[in-house]
Amino acid sequence: MTTQTQTQQIQATTVPARRRSAAGLSGHRFAGPLFASPALLGLAIFLVAPFVLALVLSFYRVQLNSPRPARFVGFEQYSRLFTDPDLAAAFGNALLNNFTFALIVVPVQTVLALALAVLVNRKLRGMVIFRTFIFMPLVFPLALTAVIWRLIYSRGDQGLLNAILGLFSGGSFTSHDWLGDPSTALGSIIVMSIWQSVSFQMIIVLAALQSVPTELYEAASLDRANKWAQFLNVTVPGIRNTLIFVALITTIFSFRLFDQVYLLSRSGSVDRASTETVMTQIINTGFDNNNVGQAAAMTVIFMLIITVIAIIQRAAARQRGGV
Amino acid sequence: MTISKSLNPGRRGGSMKRTRRWQTALHYLILAAVSLFFFLPVYYLIVGSFRPSSEVLSGISGFVPTNLSFDNYTGVFEHLSSEATGYFGQFAAVSIIVTTVVVAGSLVVNSMAAYSFARMQWRGKKVLFLLVIVLTIIPFEAVALPLYFMFSSQRDTVYIQAIPFIANAFSIFLFYTFFLDVPGEIEEAARLDGAGPLRTFFQVVVPITKPAFATVAILTFLAQWGSYLWPVLMVSDPTVRPLPLAISIFQNQQPPEWGQVLAFGTMFIVPVLAVFLIFQRWFVASISSSAVKG
């Protein structure tokens, strides 16, 4: 509102209103680079430099604060990652966990985000309150989320989840160690992660839903398409690119998985082997064990995976209409 | 059948109304169930923080608000009362300072860069902007370890927790998309009034692109308030420990005082939750505009 009125006021004073956006600043030749330089400097020091450094370090055997000088070892760090029996097994396992996590979370969370968006996109009395409840986890830091859910998953019949399941099954359900049991540990992490982040994706989908032109729905109902057919033929194609975007950020998020797992494994409340991720491995190797070169090689592989995902999904989005 | 169809047209409308009402009821039922799933952990955190530790993990009755008191809160402050354990107030102060510096810094620095890319002409601009776009896909996780290697001599300082997060490629991109829509006439008018680029930007452009600033502020705040990985690497001294790292250490105490852990968590989140409840619209708007086509 204010934007419009201000624009009009200023336009009224400018006669004639010519379109000469940036040319007006030509008197200040260095203004452009000067405006951009603080941010560019920051990105160069804190993003580009460490990124390049990771590449360099991955070719060395190097430790932090070690009297021994760094030694160039070529591709040894990489080959060890895939051939050294101890390392390869652990790293392969971590990669597998990330892929499993992504394989489950990406479809589930994308569909859930869509379902929730459709659910709250109806004009019903009290909807504001329901939305507030659903959006709430959004502001929860992952460290806090992990602490709360650690209690919910707590083993023994006094744990909340166990107690609820016990109640609904009429006592036939015996208590389960959700985080400690290798078969349910990753699944438990998945549920808490979805709880925390699905509303983020849902809000993005909701905005897309509301931007699908209503005429398309009117045309569809003239064609006697029922609600489900309308959803499949109007809604889904209309928000296709948004769904791809959501799948993209969820995939990348799956590979960045760290906070919850690291916090829980530190307190010994989660099965390690089945929840270890590439990021927790990088931190364990480079930080806890001070094997910086090895961790740098893992970082480079991690980065490659992220890049490939980004390229694939961007290409998918471009195929039709383009994002 | 035929009679009711031909003579009583209102009848069909009535049954349709009834199905609609059923649908609405079903809709509410699903909404309630979903809301319960999202709200129950929040409720459990807050109610549990007022209950004796022994009753936090007590099955279904963990949800029942009985024996409420502030004991856990005083317990947190008693528990955290020495140099070795750190103080809650200190953790909170570190988090507030770091988050404030990052949010304020990123608003200034990234908006200026974006403005330069969107509205000014200079050599090398296109290449650099392309680079910024490419950088948006690098998550912090990918550079955390080498960054720790670079700055390990600055460990246990407050500033090193903030400075790396001020410049942000994605924030630049967000600002950029907003600045593209600013009408050129406005800048022209400012120029005719004799304003230089700095005044044009801060006095003319910034006031009409407030939503961009709100968006970046909210997204940066949420990321920074919960920042965990960087403090894990850079902080071991309790006097500069931020809240996310502090709660992960506090929940690890032996024997566990769950009531106190929940009290700690409540103090960590309730201020944010309050801000969220007041400015919910803004939070939602900022998140949906974070999806601007990348």
Side-chain angles (χ1 to χ4, degrees), chain A residues 33-87:
Chain A
L34 278 178
F35 267 50
S37 56
L40 291 178
L41 199 68
L43 291 176
I45 297 173
F46 300 111
L47 201 56
V48 178
F51 185 68
V52 174
L53 184 65
L55 277 171
V56 174
L57 287 174
S58 71
F59 292 106
Y60 284 85
R61 178 165 299 164
V62 52
Q63 295 193 315
L64 197 63
N65 305 322
S66 158
R68 277 187 299 172
R71 192 162 62 85
F72 184 80
V73 293
F75 281 94
E76 193 193 299
Q77 302 286 22
Y78 292 95
S79 62
R80 284 186 61 207
L81 266 187
F82 294 101
T83 53
D84 184 311
D86 296 335
L87 265 175

Short mmCIF file of all heavy atoms in Angstrom, two decimals, chain A residues 33-87:
data_model
loop_
_atom_site.label_atom_id
_atom_site.label_comp_id
_atom_site.label_asym_id
_atom_site.label_seq_id
_atom_site.Cartn_x
_atom_site.Cartn_y
_atom_site.Cartn_z
N PRO A 33 30.88 -1.45 -7.62
CA PRO A 33 31.79 -2.38 -6.95
C PRO A 33 31.89 -2.14 -5.44
O PRO A 33 31.98 -3.10 -4.67
CB PRO A 33 33.15 -2.11 -7.61
CG PRO A 33 32.87 -1.35 -8.85
CD PRO A 33 31.52 -0.74 -8.73
N LEU A 34 31.82 -0.87 -5.03
CA LEU A 34 31.94 -0.60 -3.60
C LEU A 34 30.75 -1.16 -2.83
O LEU A 34 30.89 -1.73 -1.75
CB LEU A 34 32.03 0.91 -3.35
CG LEU A 34 33.43 1.50 -3.53
CD1 LEU A 34 33.39 3.01 -3.32
CD2 LEU A 34 34.41 0.86 -2.56
N PHE A 35 29.55 -1.01 -3.40
CA PHE A 35 28.36 -1.55 -2.76
C PHE A 35 28.46 -3.07 -2.60
O PHE A 35 28.05 -3.63 -1.61
CB PHE A 35 27.11 -1.23 -3.60
CG PHE A 35 26.41 0.03 -3.20
CD1 PHE A 35 27.12 1.22 -3.04
CD2 PHE A 35 25.04 0.04 -2.96
CE1 PHE A 35 26.48 2.37 -2.67
CE2 PHE A 35 24.39 1.20 -2.58
CZ PHE A 35 25.11 2.37 -2.44
N ALA A 36 29.02 -3.71 -3.64
CA ALA A 36 29.03 -5.18 -3.64
C ALA A 36 30.19 -5.75 -2.83
O ALA A 36 30.13 -6.90 -2.39
CB ALA A 36 29.10 -5.70 -5.08
N SER A 37 31.23 -4.92 -2.61
CA SER A 37 32.46 -5.51 -2.08
C SER A 37 32.38 -6.12 -0.68
O SER A 37 32.96 -7.19 -0.48
CB SER A 37 33.61 -4.51 -2.17
OG SER A 37 33.26 -3.34 -1.50
N PRO A 38 31.67 -5.52 0.29
CA PRO A 38 31.68 -6.19 1.61
C PRO A 38 31.13 -7.62 1.54
O PRO A 38 31.75 -8.54 2.07
CB PRO A 38 30.78 -5.30 2.47
CG PRO A 38 30.76 -3.99 1.78
CD PRO A 38 30.92 -4.26 0.33
N ALA A 39 30.01 -7.79 0.86
CA ALA A 39 29.42 -9.12 0.77
C ALA A 39 30.31 -10.05 -0.03
O ALA A 39 30.53 -11.21 0.34
CB ALA A 39 28.03 -9.05 0.15
N LEU A 40 30.85 -9.56 -1.13
CA LEU A 40 31.71 -10.42 -1.96
C LEU A 40 32.96 -10.83 -1.20
O LEU A 40 33.41 -11.98 -1.29
CB LEU A 40 32.09 -9.70 -3.26
CG LEU A 40 30.93 -9.48 -4.24
CD1 LEU A 40 31.39 -8.73 -5.47
CD2 LEU A 40 30.32 -10.83 -4.64
N LEU A 41 33.49 -9.90 -0.42
CA LEU A 41 34.66 -10.21 0.39
C LEU A 41 34.32 -11.32 1.40
O LEU A 41 35.07 -12.28 1.58
CB LEU A 41 35.12 -8.95 1.13
CG LEU A 41 36.53 -8.95 1.66
CD1 LEU A 41 37.53 -8.94 0.51
CD2 LEU A 41 36.77 -7.75 2.57
N GLY A 42 33.17 -11.16 2.05
CA GLY A 42 32.72 -12.17 3.01
C GLY A 42 32.57 -13.53 2.36
O GLY A 42 33.04 -14.54 2.89
N LEU A 43 31.93 -13.56 1.20
CA LEU A 43 31.74 -14.84 0.51
C LEU A 43 33.08 -15.43 0.09
O LEU A 43 33.28 -16.64 0.17
CB LEU A 43 30.85 -14.65 -0.72
CG LEU A 43 29.38 -14.32 -0.44
CD1 LEU A 43 28.63 -14.07 -1.75
CD2 LEU A 43 28.71 -15.47 0.32
N ALA A 44 34.00 -14.57 -0.33
CA ALA A 44 35.32 -15.06 -0.76
C ALA A 44 36.06 -15.71 0.40
O ALA A 44 36.62 -16.80 0.27
CB ALA A 44 36.14 -13.92 -1.35
N ILE A 45 36.03 -15.04 1.56
CA ILE A 45 36.79 -15.54 2.71
C ILE A 45 36.12 -16.76 3.35
O ILE A 45 36.78 -17.73 3.70
CB ILE A 45 36.98 -14.44 3.77
CG1 ILE A 45 37.79 -13.29 3.18
CG2 ILE A 45 37.68 -15.00 5.01
CD1 ILE A 45 37.89 -12.09 4.09
N PHE A 46 34.79 -16.69 3.51
CA PHE A 46 34.13 -17.70 4.34
C PHE A 46 33.40 -18.78 3.54
O PHE A 46 32.80 -19.68 4.11
CB PHE A 46 33.16 -17.02 5.30
CG PHE A 46 33.84 -16.06 6.22
CD1 PHE A 46 33.62 -14.69 6.09
CD2 PHE A 46 34.72 -16.51 7.18
CE1 PHE A 46 34.27 -13.80 6.94
CE2 PHE A 46 35.36 -15.62 8.03
CZ PHE A 46 35.15 -14.26 7.90
N LEU A 47 33.42 -18.67 2.21
CA LEU A 47 32.77 -19.72 1.43
C LEU A 47 33.70 -20.24 0.32
O LEU A 47 33.96 -21.44 0.25
CB LEU A 47 31.47 -19.18 0.81
CG LEU A 47 30.43 -20.22 0.39
CD1 LEU A 47 30.06 -21.12 1.55
CD2 LEU A 47 29.18 -19.54 -0.15
N VAL A 48 34.23 -19.34 -0.49
CA VAL A 48 35.07 -19.78 -1.61
C VAL A 48 36.41 -20.31 -1.10
O VAL A 48 36.84 -21.40 -1.48
CB VAL A 48 35.29 -18.64 -2.63
CG1 VAL A 48 36.20 -19.10 -3.75
CG2 VAL A 48 33.96 -18.16 -3.17
N ALA A 49 37.06 -19.56 -0.20
CA ALA A 49 38.37 -19.98 0.29
C ALA A 49 38.32 -21.35 0.97
O ALA A 49 39.10 -22.23 0.61
CB ALA A 49 38.95 -18.91 1.22
N PRO A 50 37.40 -21.57 1.93
CA PRO A 50 37.38 -22.90 2.54
C PRO A 50 37.00 -24.00 1.55
O PRO A 50 37.46 -25.13 1.69
CB PRO A 50 36.33 -22.78 3.65
CG PRO A 50 35.56 -21.57 3.34
CD PRO A 50 36.47 -20.66 2.59
N PHE A 51 36.18 -23.63 0.57
CA PHE A 51 35.81 -24.62 -0.44
C PHE A 51 37.05 -25.07 -1.23
O PHE A 51 37.27 -26.27 -1.42
CB PHE A 51 34.76 -24.01 -1.37
CG PHE A 51 34.23 -24.98 -2.37
CD1 PHE A 51 33.45 -26.05 -1.96
CD2 PHE A 51 34.50 -24.83 -3.72
CE1 PHE A 51 32.96 -26.96 -2.87
CE2 PHE A 51 34.01 -25.73 -4.64
CZ PHE A 51 33.25 -26.81 -4.22
N VAL A 52 37.85 -24.09 -1.64
CA VAL A 52 39.09 -24.41 -2.36
C VAL A 52 40.05 -25.15 -1.42
O VAL A 52 40.69 -26.13 -1.81
CB VAL A 52 39.74 -23.13 -2.91
CG1 VAL A 52 41.09 -23.44 -3.53
CG2 VAL A 52 38.81 -22.48 -3.94
N LEU A 53 40.10 -24.69 -0.18
CA LEU A 53 40.98 -25.31 0.80
C LEU A 53 40.63 -26.79 1.00
O LEU A 53 41.52 -27.63 1.14
CB LEU A 53 40.90 -24.56 2.13
CG LEU A 53 41.86 -25.05 3.22
CD1 LEU A 53 43.30 -24.81 2.83
CD2 LEU A 53 41.55 -24.38 4.56
N ALA A 54 39.33 -27.11 0.99
CA ALA A 54 38.91 -28.50 1.14
C ALA A 54 39.50 -29.34 0.01
O ALA A 54 40.00 -30.45 0.25
CB ALA A 54 37.38 -28.61 1.14
N LEU A 55 39.45 -28.81 -1.21
CA LEU A 55 40.03 -29.52 -2.35
C LEU A 55 41.51 -29.76 -2.12
O LEU A 55 42.01 -30.88 -2.30
CB LEU A 55 39.85 -28.69 -3.62
CG LEU A 55 38.51 -28.80 -4.33
CD1 LEU A 55 38.40 -27.76 -5.42
CD2 LEU A 55 38.37 -30.21 -4.92
N VAL A 56 42.23 -28.71 -1.70
CA VAL A 56 43.67 -28.81 -1.49
C VAL A 56 43.98 -29.81 -0.38
O VAL A 56 44.79 -30.73 -0.54
CB VAL A 56 44.27 -27.43 -1.16
CG1 VAL A 56 45.74 -27.56 -0.81
CG2 VAL A 56 44.07 -26.47 -2.33
N LEU A 57 43.30 -29.64 0.76
CA LEU A 57 43.60 -30.49 1.93
C LEU A 57 43.36 -31.96 1.63
O LEU A 57 44.00 -32.83 2.21
CB LEU A 57 42.73 -30.07 3.12
CG LEU A 57 43.10 -28.76 3.81
CD1 LEU A 57 42.06 -28.42 4.87
CD2 LEU A 57 44.48 -28.85 4.44
N SER A 58 42.41 -32.23 0.73
CA SER A 58 42.07 -33.63 0.46
C SER A 58 43.21 -34.38 -0.21
O SER A 58 43.16 -35.60 -0.31
CB SER A 58 40.80 -33.71 -0.39
OG SER A 58 41.06 -33.28 -1.70
N PHE A 59 44.22 -33.66 -0.67
CA PHE A 59 45.38 -34.32 -1.28
C PHE A 59 46.55 -34.45 -0.31
O PHE A 59 47.66 -34.81 -0.68
CB PHE A 59 45.83 -33.57 -2.54
CG PHE A 59 44.81 -33.66 -3.64
CD1 PHE A 59 44.02 -32.57 -3.97
CD2 PHE A 59 44.62 -34.86 -4.32
CE1 PHE A 59 43.07 -32.67 -4.97
CE2 PHE A 59 43.68 -34.96 -5.34
CZ PHE A 59 42.90 -33.86 -5.66
N TYR A 60 46.31 -34.08 0.93
CA TYR A 60 47.39 -34.11 1.92
C TYR A 60 47.02 -35.01 3.10
O TYR A 60 45.84 -35.24 3.38
CB TYR A 60 47.67 -32.71 2.45
CG TYR A 60 48.45 -31.84 1.48
CD1 TYR A 60 47.79 -31.13 0.48
CD2 TYR A 60 49.84 -31.76 1.56
CE1 TYR A 60 48.49 -30.35 -0.42
CE2 TYR A 60 50.55 -30.98 0.66
CZ TYR A 60 49.88 -30.28 -0.32
OH TYR A 60 50.57 -29.51 -1.21
N ARG A 61 48.09 -35.46 3.77
CA ARG A 61 47.85 -36.02 5.10
C ARG A 61 48.18 -34.89 6.05
O ARG A 61 49.32 -34.43 6.12
CB ARG A 61 48.77 -37.22 5.35
CG ARG A 61 48.59 -37.80 6.75
CD ARG A 61 49.21 -39.16 6.84
NE ARG A 61 48.57 -40.08 5.91
CZ ARG A 61 49.10 -41.24 5.55
NH1 ARG A 61 50.25 -41.61 6.03
NH2 ARG A 61 48.47 -42.03 4.70
N VAL A 62 47.19 -34.40 6.74
CA VAL A 62 47.41 -33.19 7.52
C VAL A 62 46.57 -33.23 8.80
O VAL A 62 45.46 -33.73 8.82
CB VAL A 62 47.08 -31.92 6.69
CG1 VAL A 62 45.70 -32.02 6.07
CG2 VAL A 62 47.22 -30.65 7.50
N GLN A 63 47.17 -32.71 9.88
CA GLN A 63 46.47 -32.62 11.15
C GLN A 63 46.56 -31.20 11.66
O GLN A 63 47.46 -30.46 11.30
CB GLN A 63 47.10 -33.56 12.18
CG GLN A 63 46.96 -35.02 11.81
CD GLN A 63 47.30 -35.91 12.97
OE1 GLN A 63 48.30 -35.69 13.65
NE2 GLN A 63 46.48 -36.92 13.19
N LEU A 64 45.59 -30.84 12.48
CA LEU A 64 45.60 -29.50 13.05
C LEU A 64 46.52 -29.48 14.27
O LEU A 64 46.52 -30.42 15.05
CB LEU A 64 44.17 -29.13 13.46
CG LEU A 64 43.89 -27.66 13.68
CD1 LEU A 64 44.10 -26.87 12.41
CD2 LEU A 64 42.45 -27.50 14.14
N ASN A 65 47.30 -28.40 14.40
CA ASN A 65 48.23 -28.24 15.54
C ASN A 65 49.19 -29.41 15.69
O ASN A 65 49.54 -29.79 16.80
CB ASN A 65 47.45 -28.08 16.87
CG ASN A 65 46.44 -26.96 16.79
OD1 ASN A 65 46.72 -25.93 16.19
ND2 ASN A 65 45.28 -27.17 17.38
N SER A 66 49.57 -29.99 14.58
CA SER A 66 50.51 -31.10 14.67
C SER A 66 51.90 -30.60 14.31
O SER A 66 52.06 -29.78 13.40
CB SER A 66 50.08 -32.21 13.70
OG SER A 66 51.18 -33.03 13.39
N PRO A 67 52.92 -31.07 15.02
CA PRO A 67 54.28 -30.64 14.68
C PRO A 67 54.73 -31.19 13.32
O PRO A 67 55.57 -30.61 12.65
CB PRO A 67 55.14 -31.22 15.82
CG PRO A 67 54.32 -32.31 16.41
CD PRO A 67 52.89 -31.95 16.19
N ARG A 68 54.13 -32.31 12.92
CA ARG A 68 54.52 -32.89 11.63
C ARG A 68 53.94 -32.04 10.49
O ARG A 68 52.77 -31.67 10.52
CB ARG A 68 53.99 -34.32 11.51
CG ARG A 68 54.90 -35.33 12.20
CD ARG A 68 54.44 -36.73 11.91
NE ARG A 68 53.08 -36.97 12.40
CZ ARG A 68 52.40 -38.07 12.14
NH1 ARG A 68 52.91 -39.01 11.37
NH2 ARG A 68 51.20 -38.23 12.63
N PRO A 69 54.76 -31.73 9.49
CA PRO A 69 54.25 -30.94 8.37
C PRO A 69 53.28 -31.75 7.52
O PRO A 69 53.34 -32.98 7.51
CB PRO A 69 55.53 -30.60 7.57
CG PRO A 69 56.50 -31.68 7.92
CD PRO A 69 56.17 -32.12 9.32
N ALA A 70 52.41 -31.03 6.82
CA ALA A 70 51.47 -31.71 5.93
C ALA A 70 52.24 -32.43 4.83
O ALA A 70 53.21 -31.92 4.31
CB ALA A 70 50.51 -30.69 5.33
N ARG A 71 51.77 -33.62 4.48
CA ARG A 71 52.48 -34.40 3.46
C ARG A 71 51.54 -34.65 2.28
O ARG A 71 50.40 -35.09 2.47
CB ARG A 71 52.94 -35.73 4.06
CG ARG A 71 53.93 -36.49 3.20
CD ARG A 71 54.65 -37.54 4.04
NE ARG A 71 53.75 -38.54 4.59
CZ ARG A 71 53.36 -39.62 3.89
NH1 ARG A 71 53.77 -39.83 2.67
NH2 ARG A 71 52.55 -40.50 4.45
N PHE A 72 52.03 -34.35 1.07
CA PHE A 72 51.22 -34.56 -0.12
C PHE A 72 51.06 -36.05 -0.38
O PHE A 72 52.04 -36.78 -0.43
CB PHE A 72 51.87 -33.88 -1.33
CG PHE A 72 51.05 -33.98 -2.58
CD1 PHE A 72 49.98 -33.11 -2.78
CD2 PHE A 72 51.33 -34.94 -3.55
CE1 PHE A 72 49.21 -33.19 -3.93
CE2 PHE A 72 50.55 -35.03 -4.70
CZ PHE A 72 49.49 -34.16 -4.89
N VAL A 73 49.84 -36.52 -0.53
CA VAL A 73 49.63 -37.95 -0.73
C VAL A 73 48.82 -38.25 -1.99
O VAL A 73 48.37 -39.37 -2.19
CB VAL A 73 48.93 -38.61 0.48
CG1 VAL A 73 49.84 -38.58 1.69
CG2 VAL A 73 47.61 -37.93 0.78
N GLY A 74 48.61 -37.24 -2.84
CA GLY A 74 47.86 -37.47 -4.07
C GLY A 74 46.44 -37.90 -3.78
O GLY A 74 45.78 -37.35 -2.90
N PHE A 75 45.98 -38.93 -4.49
CA PHE A 75 44.59 -39.36 -4.34
C PHE A 75 44.40 -40.38 -3.24
O PHE A 75 43.35 -41.01 -3.15
CB PHE A 75 44.08 -39.93 -5.67
CG PHE A 75 43.71 -38.85 -6.66
CD1 PHE A 75 44.63 -38.41 -7.59
CD2 PHE A 75 42.45 -38.27 -6.62
CE1 PHE A 75 44.29 -37.40 -8.48
CE2 PHE A 75 42.12 -37.27 -7.50
CZ PHE A 75 43.03 -36.83 -8.45
N GLU A 76 45.43 -40.54 -2.39
CA GLU A 76 45.36 -41.61 -1.39
C GLU A 76 44.13 -41.49 -0.49
O GLU A 76 43.47 -42.48 -0.21
CB GLU A 76 46.63 -41.58 -0.54
CG GLU A 76 46.78 -42.83 0.31
CD GLU A 76 47.86 -42.66 1.38
OE1 GLU A 76 49.02 -42.44 1.01
OE2 GLU A 76 47.52 -42.74 2.57
N GLN A 77 43.82 -40.24 -0.06
CA GLN A 77 42.66 -40.07 0.83
C GLN A 77 41.37 -40.57 0.17
O GLN A 77 40.52 -41.15 0.82
CB GLN A 77 42.49 -38.59 1.22
CG GLN A 77 43.69 -37.98 1.91
CD GLN A 77 43.87 -38.43 3.35
OE1 GLN A 77 43.37 -39.48 3.75
NE2 GLN A 77 44.62 -37.66 4.11
N TYR A 78 41.26 -40.33 -1.13
CA TYR A 78 40.06 -40.77 -1.84
C TYR A 78 40.04 -42.28 -2.00
O TYR A 78 39.03 -42.94 -1.77
CB TYR A 78 39.98 -40.11 -3.22
CG TYR A 78 39.72 -38.63 -3.15
CD1 TYR A 78 40.77 -37.72 -3.19
CD2 TYR A 78 38.43 -38.14 -3.01
CE1 TYR A 78 40.55 -36.36 -3.11
CE2 TYR A 78 38.19 -36.78 -2.93
CZ TYR A 78 39.25 -35.89 -2.99
OH TYR A 78 39.03 -34.55 -2.90
N SER A 79 41.21 -42.83 -2.40
CA SER A 79 41.22 -44.28 -2.63
C SER A 79 41.00 -45.02 -1.31
O SER A 79 40.31 -46.04 -1.27
CB SER A 79 42.53 -44.72 -3.30
OG SER A 79 43.61 -44.42 -2.45
N ARG A 80 41.56 -44.46 -0.22
CA ARG A 80 41.33 -45.11 1.07
C ARG A 80 39.86 -45.11 1.44
O ARG A 80 39.35 -46.05 2.04
CB ARG A 80 42.14 -44.41 2.17
CG ARG A 80 43.62 -44.77 2.12
CD ARG A 80 44.35 -44.19 3.29
NE ARG A 80 43.85 -44.68 4.56
CZ ARG A 80 43.92 -44.01 5.71
NH1 ARG A 80 44.47 -42.82 5.73
NH2 ARG A 80 43.45 -44.53 6.81
N LEU A 81 39.16 -44.03 1.09
CA LEU A 81 37.74 -43.93 1.41
C LEU A 81 36.94 -45.07 0.83
O LEU A 81 35.90 -45.45 1.34
CB LEU A 81 37.17 -42.62 0.86
CG LEU A 81 37.13 -41.43 1.77
CD1 LEU A 81 36.38 -40.30 1.11
CD2 LEU A 81 36.44 -41.79 3.08
N PHE A 82 37.44 -45.59 -0.31
CA PHE A 82 36.66 -46.64 -0.98
C PHE A 82 37.31 -48.01 -0.90
O PHE A 82 36.68 -49.01 -1.24
CB PHE A 82 36.41 -46.25 -2.44
CG PHE A 82 35.53 -45.04 -2.54
CD1 PHE A 82 36.07 -43.79 -2.81
CD2 PHE A 82 34.15 -45.14 -2.32
CE1 PHE A 82 35.25 -42.67 -2.87
CE2 PHE A 82 33.35 -44.03 -2.38
CZ PHE A 82 33.88 -42.78 -2.65
N THR A 83 38.58 -48.08 -0.46
CA THR A 83 39.23 -49.40 -0.43
C THR A 83 39.68 -49.83 0.97
O THR A 83 39.61 -51.01 1.29
CB THR A 83 40.46 -49.42 -1.36
OG1 THR A 83 41.31 -48.33 -1.01
CG2 THR A 83 40.05 -49.31 -2.82
N ASP A 84 40.15 -48.88 1.77
CA ASP A 84 40.58 -49.23 3.13
C ASP A 84 39.41 -49.89 3.87
O ASP A 84 38.35 -49.30 4.02
CB ASP A 84 41.01 -47.95 3.86
CG ASP A 84 41.56 -48.24 5.24
OD1 ASP A 84 40.89 -49.00 5.98
OD2 ASP A 84 42.63 -47.72 5.57
N PRO A 85 39.59 -51.14 4.32
CA PRO A 85 38.45 -51.89 4.87
C PRO A 85 37.70 -51.15 5.99
O PRO A 85 36.47 -51.06 5.95
CB PRO A 85 39.08 -53.18 5.40
CG PRO A 85 40.47 -53.20 4.90
CD PRO A 85 40.84 -51.89 4.33
N ASP A 86 38.44 -50.57 6.94
CA ASP A 86 37.77 -49.89 8.06
C ASP A 86 37.01 -48.66 7.57
O ASP A 86 35.82 -48.50 7.82
CB ASP A 86 38.79 -49.44 9.10
CG ASP A 86 39.49 -50.63 9.72
OD1 ASP A 86 38.88 -51.72 9.71
OD2 ASP A 86 40.62 -50.47 10.20
N LEU A 87 37.75 -47.82 6.86
CA LEU A 87 37.18 -46.55 6.41
C LEU A 87 36.04 -46.74 5.43
O LEU A 87 34.97 -46.15 5.56
CB LEU A 87 38.27 -45.74 5.72
CG LEU A 87 39.00 -44.72 6.56
CD1 LEU A 87 40.12 -44.11 5.76
CD2 LEU A 87 38.02 -43.66 7.02
#
